[in-house]
């Protein structure tokens, strides 16, 4: 059977402040399923990010350097508008636990209502990463803990450089 579908271009959106092992696993697994994956960092309004947008771009680019079909970009405004601009037909999101489901369902349904041609694809987080979140990592860091084992090595190095007290 000949399949004539157009290339599957997916966007993996998020704040990535910082990129975690769970994110990287999702990028790698998601990237292997689609033709092109765009990791899109939201240029959000958070007042006290751990890392600037440029730092996050740099760290994610380093971490995905071996993945040929993965690109790193930023966006502002509505995700569906960005998807339209980029010609993306899918949004990739990860689900760690039931607690993620409600928000993810809401986002997926809103996005589908606004742009039905963009389908949200969910991947379950690997169990060993299911408890990791950027928010918790940020909290550990700002309270003086070492979150090095929850993030890729290059991110851990940047964390240690930025917060030398962690040793
Ligand atoms: O890393 P996060 O915080 O889970 O990512 C949330 C993100 C960036 C996917 C979401 O906040 C988003 O898509 N924001 C863009 C604004 C938008 O489109 N909002 C309406 C759909 S919920």
């Amino acid at each position: 059977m000949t399949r004539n579908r157009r290339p599957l271009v997916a966007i993996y959106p998020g704040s990535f402040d910082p990129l975690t092992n769970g994110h990287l696993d999702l990028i790698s697994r998601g990237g292997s399923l689609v033709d092109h994956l765009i990791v899109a960092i939201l240029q959000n309004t958070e007042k006290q990010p751990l890392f600037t947008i440029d730092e996050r771009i740099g760290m994610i680019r380093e971490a995905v350097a071996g993945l040929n079909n993965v690109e790193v970009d930023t966006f502002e405004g509505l995700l569906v508008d960005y998807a339209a601009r980029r010609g993306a037909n899918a949004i990739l999101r990860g689900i760690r636990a039931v607690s993620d489901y409600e928000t993810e369902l809401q986002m997926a349904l809103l996005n589908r209502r606004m742009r039905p041609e963009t389908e949200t694809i969910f991947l379950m987080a690997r169990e060993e990463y299911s408890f990791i979140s950027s928010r918790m990592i940020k909290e550990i860091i700002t309270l003086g803990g070492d979150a090095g084992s929850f993030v890729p090595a290059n991110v851990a190095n940047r964390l240690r450089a930025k917060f030398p007290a962690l040793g």
Side-chain angles (χ1 to χ4, degrees), residues 21-70:
N21 286 334
H23 291 138
L24 190 54
D25 176 57
L26 216 85
I27 293 169
S28 143
R29 286 163 56 215
S32 71
L33 294 173
V34 304
D35 296 298
H36 188 67
L37 181 65
I38 304 166
V39 179
I41 309 168
L42 175 67
Q43 294 188 339
N44 61 9
T45 47
E46 209 194 320
K47 287 180 194 74
Q48 293 208 301
L50 213 49
F51 291 105
T52 66
I53 292 287
D54 284 343
E55 286 174 322
R56 279 178 260 169
I57 295 173
M59 279 184 283
I60 302 176
R61 285 209 176 122
E62 272 168 27
V64 304
L67 305 172
N68 292 334
N69 65 335
V70 177

Side-chain angles (χ1 to χ4, degrees), residues 2 6 36 44 69 78 85 91 95 101 115-116 143 159:
T2 340
R6 69 184 181 99
H36 188 67
N44 61 9
N69 65 335
L78 283 179
R85 283 202 299 282
I91 293 167
I95 292 197
Y101 177 78
R115 189 168 194 265
L143 295 174
L159 280 171

Side-chain angles (χ1 to χ4, degrees), residues 76-92:
E76 50 191 342
L78 283 179
L79 177 58
V80 287
D81 289 342
Y82 174 69
R85 283 202 299 282
R86 295 301 315 264
N89 34 21
I91 293 167
L92 176 70

Side-chain angles (χ1 to χ4, degrees), residues 52-130:
T52 66
I53 292 287
D54 284 343
E55 286 174 322
R56 279 178 260 169
I57 295 173
M59 279 184 283
I60 302 176
R61 285 209 176 122
E62 272 168 27
V64 304
L67 305 172
N68 292 334
N69 65 335
V70 177
E71 165 195 347
V72 183
D73 193 13
T74 62
F75 76 105
E76 50 191 342
L78 283 179
L79 177 58
V80 287
D81 289 342
Y82 174 69
R85 283 202 299 282
R86 295 301 315 264
N89 34 21
I91 293 167
L92 176 70
R93 292 287 289 173
I95 292 197
R96 288 162 300 190
V98 177
S99 49
D100 282 339
Y101 177 78
E102 225 168 306
T103 328
E104 294 300 331
L105 174 72
Q106 191 180 16
M107 283 203 289
L109 295 182
L110 282 168
N111 286 334
R112 189 163 68 198
R113 186 61 75 89
M114 291 189 283
R115 189 168 194 265
E117 52 273 57
T118 306
E119 198 67 72
T120 303
I121 299 174
F122 291 107
L123 289 183
M124 295 299 153
R126 279 165 64 132
E127 50 276 36
E128 60 265 48
Y129 302 136
S130 61

